[in-house]
Amino acid sequence: MVQFYSPNRRSVNRGIISVTADNLDAQGQGIARHQGKTIFIAGLLPGEQAQIQLTEEKRQFAKAKVVKRLSDSPHRVAPHCPHFKVCGGCQQQHVATELQVKTKASVLEHLIQRETGINISAHPVIRSPEYGYRRRARLGLQYHGKQRTLLMGFRQSQTNDLVSIKHCPVMRPELEQLLQPLYQCLNSLYAVKRLGHVELVLADSGPLVVLRHLDPLKQEDKEILRIFSVRYNVSIYLLGEEKSLEPLMEGQIAPWYQVNGLKLVFSPQDFIQVNDVVNQQMVAQALAWLDLQPTDRVLDLFCGMGNFTLPIATKVQATVGVEGVAELVASGQYNARLNKLNNVDFFHENLESDIHQQPWAAQGFNKVLLDPARAGAAGVMAHIVKLAPEKVVYVSCNPTTLARDSKVLLAAGYHLVSVRMLDMFPHTGHLESMALFSSEPMDIE
């Protein structure tokens, strides 16, 4: 067989080597050094010695797996979940929470220092409960013909294979206790072979289930679901072949949650923050950092359904929210009316396109909040500088783009006043954060 040389292909040394981890990265991988090369080792904690085998080797770094761990760190703990190491949802349940938090905060501080030259602490961290924090979870559904049974669960790490989930301690207990009866219900449907996924959401108004089905459901299946709904006091929504959402039964109460004393009604498909405890603290911190006054005009970019916009509106002269998803804009407008907030305007606009022709861009604002997706907010940073606001609060789910976008504000003379790491997703590699920028030097906390 003819083989072709690839300049990107590097041979991997399959030999066993001994190393001691001296650090941890945000993904929960141990970091060791061997012959001048940095090695990332899944499952190894700082201070632990192990025999490892390389699985991937690049010019500057390598990845490895543990063959035999020779010592244990005092930060190693027993995972709560029976599916840990198989399920791809959590990567760090073996790591004590304090070390997880310290590591993520250090990674955030390092990225900001590297990109901006500013040394700043990401403490105090906005904390989460260790377990029972997820109020939303989507599980895949697959029918196995040979076993004649349904598989319901999360994806295995780095594969498309499902891991059957019977327990999930990071879910809110009200959702976790539904897992087994929900599985039994779905497995009994005539349409069991043609189900796509199921989503569980815990609203303040109660739990709800969204079922994706690929073919129209028979009345017999709808009756099975109705019985489940009544027995477990769960609202059920059906997501059919046209991907149109329909309540299973008439008269179901629209889900809602509270933030900063406001009631926000949402569609089961709307984005809401998964961790309610952290969301409440995050919104309160943003409002405190903005130092809102009755004369303020505040701009909220990438505003979603108004999670920040509406609480801000209770304290200022006027608020404008801009969002690219029409359904979220509609939810925001509805909730402004529901909470009798007449000083809010929502705009449905693509913030990744030319924003200068968008109607909101002609208005003036003295304070700005933005909460972009992972790609960051490169397209709006120049306009924020043009607005010359007194304060900017940047909420981020990607520290790399936060650090990148920060440089635009810093180059315009803004001061990075404060940074917080948000422990939004304990036991995972997700690193959420928020930062405060001010046009004038200021002391805080």
Side-chain angles (χ1 to χ4, degrees), residues 38-108:
T38 300
I39 306 176
F40 297 93
I41 309 144
L44 199 64
L45 301 186
E48 292 183 336
Q49 186 180 14
Q51 293 177 341
I52 65 170
Q53 185 175 50
L54 301 187
T55 57
E56 181 181 347
E57 189 169 11
K58 304 289 186 181
R59 189 177 301 276
Q60 300 296 331
F61 70 92
K63 294 183 179 180
K65 64 180 180 181
V66 174
V67 176
K68 183 179 181 181
R69 194 170 67 248
L70 303 176
S71 63
D72 285 345
S73 164
H75 297 292
R76 181 172 291 278
V77 297
H80 283 213
C81 182
H83 308 295
F84 181 68
K85 288 189 177 180
V86 183
C87 172
C90 296
Q91 302 85 42
Q92 301 188 37
Q93 286 193 19
H94 64 298
V95 185
T97 303
E98 288 303 321
L99 180 57
Q100 293 184 39
V101 170
K102 179 182 177 182
T103 299
K104 290 182 182 180
S106 296
V107 168
L108 176 60

Side-chain angles (χ1 to χ4, degrees), residues 4 26 141 187 198 211 330 357 400:
F4 296 94
L141 300 172
N187 196 41
V198 64
L211 177 62
Q357 302 303 315
T400 301

Side-chain angles (χ1 to χ4, degrees), residues 2 21 29 37 52 95 126 128 168 180 211 227 262 377 429 443:
V2 177
Q29 299 178 113
K37 180 170 289 188
I52 65 170
V95 185
I126 292 181
S128 166
C168 182
Q180 296 202 44
L211 177 62
I227 292 171
L262 301 176
D443 296 321

Side-chain angles (χ1 to χ4, degrees), residues 148-406:
R148 295 185 179 180
T149 189
L150 181 70
L151 194 63
M152 182 178 84
F154 298 121
R155 302 291 175 189
Q156 189 173 343
S157 179
Q158 298 181 334
T159 76
N160 287 322
D161 297 333
L162 285 184
V163 178
S164 179
I165 297 295
K166 298 294 191 294
H167 301 281
C168 182
V170 298
M171 280 190 193
R172 289 284 297 270
E174 299 94 325
L175 298 182
E176 188 190 22
Q177 67 187 14
L178 290 174
L179 287 175
Q180 296 202 44
L182 177 61
Y183 168 79
Q184 293 166 358
C185 172
L186 298 180
N187 196 41
S188 69
L189 298 180
Y190 291 98
V192 65
K193 298 179 182 179
R194 298 287 292 163
L195 302 178
H197 63 258
V198 64
E199 192 161 7
L200 287 79
V201 183
L202 183 64
D204 288 3
S205 49
L208 59 104
V209 167
V210 178
L211 177 62
R212 174 79 171 103
H213 56 96
L214 306 179
D215 295 329
L217 294 181
K218 296 180 179 180
Q219 282 303 123
E220 295 91 333
D221 280 350
K222 290 184 178 181
E223 180 61 18
I224 292 172
L225 291 170
R226 189 195 67 79
I227 292 171
F228 176 88
S229 173
V230 172
R231 180 175 180 182
Y232 293 96
N233 195 26
V234 175
S235 297
I236 295 181
Y237 293 81
L238 303 176
L239 190 60
E241 53 188 335
E242 301 299 325
K243 293 192 176 181
S244 58
L245 194 70
E246 296 181 357
L248 174 67
M249 296 185 290
E250 293 183 5
Q252 288 184 176
I253 298 174
W256 53 270
Y257 73 93
Q258 288 187 311
V259 61
N260 203 54
L262 301 176
K263 178 179 178 180
L264 273 63
V265 174
F266 63 96
S267 162
Q269 291 182 287
D270 284 350
F271 171 82
I272 63 170
Q273 292 289 353
V274 163
N275 190 324
D276 179 54
V277 172
V278 170
N279 185 55
Q280 300 290 339
Q281 298 177 75
M282 177 177 69
V283 172
Q285 181 69 86
L287 269 59
W289 275 356
L290 288 169
D291 187 26
L292 299 170
Q293 303 299 322
T295 55
D296 286 341
R297 289 181 51 81
V298 183
L299 174 65
D300 182 6
L301 298 172
F302 311 94
C303 68
M305 57 178 283
N307 186 59
F308 291 101
T309 325
L310 299 175
I312 288 171
T314 65
K315 301 177 180 295
V316 301
Q317 177 187 344
T319 309
V320 167
V322 188
E323 167 59 43
V325 179
E327 292 80 6
L328 294 177
V329 170
S331 292
Q333 292 168 333
Y334 175 86
N335 284 307
R337 295 191 297 270
L338 179 68
N339 289 281
K340 297 180 172 58
L341 296 170
N342 301 316
N343 59 341
V344 187
D345 286 318
F346 285 92
F347 291 87
H348 173 219
E349 299 288 350
N350 180 4
L351 290 171
E352 295 179 356
S353 65
D354 181 10
I355 64 173
H356 302 293
Q357 302 303 315
Q358 297 176 9
W360 63 270
Q363 301 184 32
F365 304 93
N366 67 315
K367 293 174 183 177
V368 174
L369 182 142
L370 62 159
D371 183 9
R374 291 189 60 80
V380 301
M381 298 309 297
H383 189 74
I384 292 175
V385 169
K386 181 181 176 182
L387 289 170
E390 302 162 23
K391 293 182 175 65
V392 177
V393 171
Y394 190 131
V395 181
S396 170
C397 60
N398 184 349
T400 301
T401 50
L402 167 63
R404 179 200 69 197
D405 294 342
S406 296

